[in-house]
Amino acid sequence: MTGPAARSAPLQAGVAGAAPVVVVSGLVKRFGERTIIDKLDLAVADGTAVALIGANGTGKSTLLKCLVRLVEPSAGTIRMLGEEVTALEGRALARFRSGVGFVFQRHNLVPRLSALTNVVHGVQARAAGPRTWLQSLARGEVRDEALECLEAVGLADRAGQRADSLSGGQSQRVAIARMLMQRPRLVLADEPDASLDPKSGAEVMDLLYRLAKVQGLTLIVVSHRLEHAKDYSDRIVGLADGRVTLDERASDADPAVLRAFFDRPASPEQHHEGNA
Amino acid sequence: MADATAVRSSRASQIARYERPSLVTYLLWVLVAAFIVWSFAEAAPSMERLTKGLNRIFAPDGMLARMFPPETERLPQVLLALLETFQMAVAGTVLGLIFSLPLAILAAEGLSPHPIVRVLARGLIAFFRTVPDLVWAIVFIIMVGLGPAAGVLAIMIDKIGFAGRFFAEAMEETDKGPREALAAIGATRTGLIFSAVIPEALPSFVATSLFSLEKAVRGSVVLGLVGAGGIGTELRIAFDLFDYDQAATIIIAIFLLVLAVERVSDWLRKKLI
């Protein structure tokens, strides 16, 4: 279940000939005098699972946040899911974000609420009002869909359990179920394995990869674990000094080269990124 | 070894045990001390006056002796007035809590729609809190006349000031992660307040609400003394007519009500939080 052999979908699905759903051109992000992302270009084909790797402070998390404008880019253009992201404002930006699933390093569940209610919250990407606040108020079909999402992450039997009584790995899986409730076409995951023990981390990465393949989603995932980047992606993109300096198929990637990426220290001005 | 101790000791002696205050600090201390002495001289009772007063209370024919045994003839009326006091406290607290929640949202950092709105909401809450409930009672007696309605309105305003502040602080202290996660998927401001912020702040809301009720029950007795209804009015009449045995019954009834509310409140707090 957790190793490459257990993957239920072919590695290269969605790569060959698919149209790009993410096109980043000349992206720049500066924090004051410090340049974190420096004229970065990247295109991701529909249905591809991309692992973003690089040492601390090389701009991986900032890049993900720029893609949905949780961090404002300083220059450049981003085109995602047919929308000119950098030109969106207000409601149009909120509508665009609702189609992009974001999995954070921390699960960010509401601790006092049940797993099912936390998953129901995902429907707020496409609906509003009191019936989206609690599972007890939700419409029947929304509750059913939320339960299906929990089933997809293997936690249907924990639906009524409070989020603060779940383990770290289970909580991250509930966060993934909440993301599925959005019905996204594209998923961005910022080190979803970082705060978990090795076994739970691998389970979460495997789950994300399998769900992306089964549901035909495009996945861009940041991971600091070399084996996860290689095992749970189709393509590996390495960042150094705010630019793409490695881009190859995961199956062809040389572990020694990848290791060098993780070991390479970021330039002093980019250490700021961790706080961005 | 002995030498080392001697060296340590001599080094320590070079560090002053007390810092010499600056002239400004010294003058401030003198001013504070002078003000305390002046306050005692102006406001505190003299020893002679205190002795006379204690005699009036504890003498064989003094107030305390005339309080016992408490008079029970008018007990039904006292209990009805007590019920009215409790009803004033409940109605005023519930109204206050209902109005304090939206005001607290407007006053909370990160939830308020605009910094100016936040400053105005905070200012209003501070104003409601700093003006004593007795003053509000007098204002509302002028507005709606003598009786429990004025008391309910006074308690409501006082509770908006009290709960509004604590509700806002409780919401500001909640973990920002869940609301950021919902904001990232395009949830509305109302959605993330009711889905992520309020559920997390709920234990604090419950504690504040129960304290509000306890405070309102105690406060509503005093409000009656200025004519805002309830048992306070009965107590004032009893003292005015020197019916100290009647007053004793009322004081015991108030004590039992406040004690009961505190006990139930403690039990609920443990049960709900």
Side-chain angles (χ1 to χ4, degrees):
Chain A
M1 190 75 171
T2 57
R7 285 188 297 240
S8 56
L11 261 172
Q12 298 303 315
V15 173
V21 285
V22 179
V23 181
V24 179
S25 310
L27 186 72
V28 177
K29 178 61 198 175
R30 290 186 208 95
F31 289 102
E33 295 291 300
R34 289 173 282 208
T35 304
I36 305 301
I37 297 177
D38 189 12
K39 294 176 193 147
L40 182 141
D41 297 316
L42 178 70
V44 178
D46 196 8
T48 315
V50 175
L52 275 182
I53 63 164
N56 278 334
T58 47
K60 308 177 299 296
S61 294
T62 304
L63 172 60
L64 282 199
K65 286 174 182 164
C66 280
L67 291 181
V68 282
R69 302 258 306 277
L70 287 175
V71 167
E72 286 297 331
S74 306
T77 59
I78 299 166
R79 194 168 177 79
M80 269 168 79
L81 302 171
E83 302 254 23
E84 202 67 48
V85 182
T86 30
L88 296 175
E89 292 301 335
R91 282 184 183 277
L93 180 61
R95 189 173 37 79
F96 161 77
R97 281 177 180 164
S98 69
V100 181
F102 206 110
V103 181
F104 294 84
Q105 188 175 327
R106 276 186 61 221
H107 50 75
N108 288 337
L109 301 179
V110 185
R112 290 177 52 78
L113 299 180
S114 69
L116 188 61
T117 291
N118 272 288
V119 178
V120 163
H121 287 167
V123 84
Q124 292 185 24
R126 52 199 152 87
R131 304 198 76 165
T132 66
W133 299 343
L134 291 170
Q135 66 88 12
S136 49
L137 303 173
R139 291 180 195 284
E141 59 267 27
V142 171
R143 292 178 88 243
D144 288 345
E145 190 180 341
L147 203 58
E148 280 169 25
C149 293
L150 272 175
E151 233 158 40
V153 300
L155 286 175
D157 58 328
R158 304 291 170 104
Q161 212 167 310
R162 267 173 60 147
D164 54 6
S165 69
L166 299 171
S167 69
Q170 287 170 336
S171 298
Q172 194 60 291
R173 279 151 69 189
V174 173
I176 292 170
R178 179 179 61 189
M179 178 272 291
L180 291 177
M181 194 67 187
Q182 281 180 249
R183 299 183 193 160
R185 279 183 59 199
L186 193 145
V187 178
L188 307 175
D190 188 8
E191 296 188 55
D193 53 351
S195 55
L196 303 175
D197 60 76
K199 184 171 176 283
S200 305
E203 280 172 3
V204 163
M205 291 294 285
D206 179 65
L207 177 70
L208 264 178
Y209 184 78
R210 278 189 300 111
L211 287 170
K213 291 302 162 191
V214 169
Q215 304 198 7
L217 306 172
T218 306
L219 172 69
I220 303 178
V221 59
V222 172
S223 181
H224 263 294
R225 296 185 188 169
L226 186 150
E227 65 280 17
H228 290 176
K230 192 159 163 49
D231 293 346
Y232 305 113
S233 72
D234 307 324
R235 178 181 159 198
I236 298 182
V237 171
L239 299 190
D241 301 328
R243 290 182 188 191
V244 174
T245 52
L246 176 129
D247 190 350
E248 57 184 293
R249 290 156 64 106
S251 53
D252 299 341
D254 178 356
V257 174
L258 299 183
R259 172 65 60 200
F261 258 87
F262 285 105
D263 293 342
R264 180 179 171 159
S267 57
E269 66 267 23
Q270 286 181 317
H271 270 301
H272 172 76
E273 191 221 359
N275 305 322
Chain B
M1 187 74 178
D3 283 352
T5 311
V7 167
R8 263 206 308 275
S9 156
S10 73
R11 280 178 64 196
S13 67
Q14 289 169 12
I15 301 166
R17 286 180 186 272
Y18 304 103
E19 266 184 53
R20 184 188 288 271
S22 70
L23 188 63
V24 176
T25 313
Y26 184 75
L27 279 175
L28 275 173
W29 277 116
V30 170
L31 272 175
V32 168
F35 190 78
I36 292 170
V37 171
W38 185 34
S39 301
F40 272 106
E42 286 293 315
S46 66
M47 214 50 204
E48 183 197 347
R49 215 169 146 192
L50 201 63
T51 317
K52 271 188 186 170
L54 286 171
N55 271 341
R56 266 204 297 274
I57 300 282
F58 293 106
D61 60 341
M63 193 178 96
L64 201 63
R66 287 165 66 188
M67 275 184 155
F68 289 95
E71 195 255 317
T72 53
E73 204 176 298
R74 291 192 69 246
L75 194 61
Q77 286 94 321
V78 168
L79 290 179
L80 272 178
L82 195 69
L83 178 66
E84 189 180 76
T85 297
F86 186 57
Q87 285 173 324
M88 267 166 60
V90 170
T93 304
V94 170
L95 282 173
L97 294 176
I98 288 171
F99 289 115
S100 62
L101 183 60
L103 204 57
I105 291 171
L106 296 178
E109 198 171 352
L111 303 179
S112 186
H114 196 277
I116 293 173
V117 175
R118 192 169 75 87
V119 169
L120 289 175
R122 279 194 172 260
L124 194 61
I125 289 172
F127 179 64
F128 286 170
R129 192 177 61 251
T130 46
V131 176
D133 53 358
L134 216 56
V135 175
W136 288 118
I138 293 165
V139 169
F140 287 119
I141 286 169
I142 294 166
M143 207 172 106
V144 297
L146 290 166
V152 168
L153 292 174
I155 292 169
M156 179 189 81
I157 294 293
D158 188 55
K159 294 303 155 275
I160 293 176
F162 177 77
R165 177 192 169 183
F166 287 107
F167 282 4
E169 284 177 1
M171 289 189 287
E172 283 172 357
E173 284 163 11
T174 56
D175 182 8
K176 289 184 176 58
R179 73 175 98 142
E180 275 170 10
L182 289 180
I185 68 171
T188 61
R189 184 191 299 273
T190 319
L192 60 92
I193 289 171
F194 282 92
S195 303
V197 179
I198 290 180
E200 221 184 318
L202 209 56
S204 181
F205 282 10
V206 170
T208 301
S209 303
L210 290 171
F211 278 127
S212 295
L213 184 65
E214 285 176 35
K215 200 167 164 283
V217 171
R218 282 194 298 269
S220 58
V221 175
V222 183
L223 296 184
L225 294 175
V226 293
I231 202 158
T233 311
E234 292 280 333
L235 187 63
R236 195 192 60 194
I237 293 168
F239 274 119
D240 285 350
L241 299 177
F242 304 104
D243 287 338
Y244 294 136
D245 51 353
Q246 178 73 35
T249 308
I250 294 169
I251 290 168
I252 292 167
I254 292 167
F255 169 72
L256 291 176
L257 174 69
V258 173
L259 195 70
V261 169
E262 282 183 1
R263 286 292 158 93
V264 172
S265 171
D266 275 347
W267 177 76
L268 274 173
R269 203 173 290 126
K270 281 178 191 145
K271 194 99 180 148
L272 296 174
I273 299 171

